[in-house]
Amino acid sequence: MGTFFQRHEAVLEWGCVFGGILLYAMSLNLFLAGNDIAAGGLAGVATVLSRLIPLRISVLILLMNLPLLAISLAVRGWRFTRNTLVGSLLYSLLVEATSFLPTMTSDPLVATVFGGAMYGGGMALLVLGNGSTGGTDLVNRLLVSRFPGTSVGKMSLLVDGAVVIFAMAVFGNIEVGLYAILTIFVCSAFADKALLGFEQGNVCLIITSKDPKEVSAPLLAMLHRAVTKLDGVGMYTGAGRSVLLA
């Protein structure tokens, strides 16, 4: 029974990985590449290079991933590199398989919003499936292992920022970079919403030694928030405290 559920969980994870990579590929071909929007990652670099080199975007992504995978294998080992290898190969395959899709719009703002949202959905599925497409995600992890004082988020910002600047320099168009930045923002926001939920609320936790009725009165009267009182004890002093949850 345990083996059955483990296999079932593995199928769900790989289903999320496949779905996420498919959304990545469709976002690239339907919205981003046709509008020269290089929103970070190796896909962004490949979008720029495809205007300079007579190679398809899928081939460029694969060629750039191969040395990164070799470095990862040497530095981090096969266990770390294995899933990323599968993800990167699948990404190049699906980018090529969906390359027949037409660019849905020539309006870069529309492409930014819908391409970013689709990319964000793919990112959320990859997180759920614990998958990776290699590329700059792999670069970020390798650089963080080399410079442990830098967080993955900051390293990602630096690497994707470099890709955006590269695109602006090659295309000679600042607007292309601005649309890419907006795409990255939409992608991140949509991924967060998809993972954390679209309907979120804020909870206020107040720990006080004052009269709880006095503290909660403004919340009830002015903010119209329900307040729940809990009893707490400070573990250091042992003194009783009122814990108000609003």
Side-chain angles (χ1 to χ4, degrees), residues 92 115 150-151 154 211-212:
S92 294
T150 306
S151 68
K154 290 181 180 178
D211 182 1

Side-chain angles (χ1 to χ4, degrees), residues 18 21-26 28-29 56-63 65 84-101 133:
F18 180 84
I21 295 175
L22 180 61
L23 286 179
Y24 269 12
M26 292 179 65
L28 184 64
N29 286 313
R56 301 178 70 82
I57 290 178
S58 58
V59 176
L60 289 168
I61 292 174
L62 179 61
L63 291 177
N65 258 322
T84 303
L85 173 63
V86 175
S88 62
L89 293 176
L90 183 59
Y91 186 32
S92 294
L93 178 64
L94 290 179
V95 168
E96 182 61 31
T98 58
S99 61
F100 70 92
L101 296 173
T133 59

Side-chain angles (χ1 to χ4, degrees), residues 82-241:
R82 178 184 54 198
N83 290 346
T84 303
L85 173 63
V86 175
S88 62
L89 293 176
L90 183 59
Y91 186 32
S92 294
L93 178 64
L94 290 179
V95 168
E96 182 61 31
T98 58
S99 61
F100 70 92
L101 296 173
T103 302
M104 296 297 291
T105 178
S106 59
D107 187 333
L109 183 58
V110 175
T112 291
V113 173
F114 284 91
M118 186 175 288
Y119 214 84
M123 181 182 293
L125 286 176
L126 278 173
V127 170
L128 291 174
N130 195 29
S132 171
T133 59
T136 53
D137 177 48
L138 184 56
V139 172
N140 294 335
R141 296 185 187 187
L142 291 173
L143 288 176
V144 167
S145 66
R146 178 66 179 81
F147 304 100
T150 306
S151 68
V152 174
K154 290 181 180 178
M155 191 62 71
S156 177
L157 183 62
L158 290 173
V159 173
D160 285 338
V163 174
V164 172
I165 293 172
F166 175 60
M168 288 191 291
V170 171
F171 292 133
N173 187 347
I174 294 179
E175 285 190 358
V176 168
L178 296 178
Y179 284 124
I181 293 171
L182 184 58
T183 302
I184 294 172
F185 173 79
V186 173
C187 170
S188 300
F190 192 89
D192 286 344
K193 290 293 185 180
L195 290 169
L196 301 176
F198 287 90
E199 295 184 2
Q200 298 184 51
N202 294 320
V203 175
C204 179
L205 191 66
I206 302 173
I207 302 175
T208 179
S209 59
K210 298 182 179 180
D211 182 1
K213 291 184 178 180
E214 180 182 346
V215 175
S216 62
L219 299 175
L220 295 167
M222 300 176 63
L223 299 181
H224 305 290
R225 293 290 299 265
V227 181
T228 300
K229 175 183 174 295
L230 304 173
D231 293 324
V233 177
M235 297 306 296
Y236 182 74
T237 63
R241 295 287 188 270

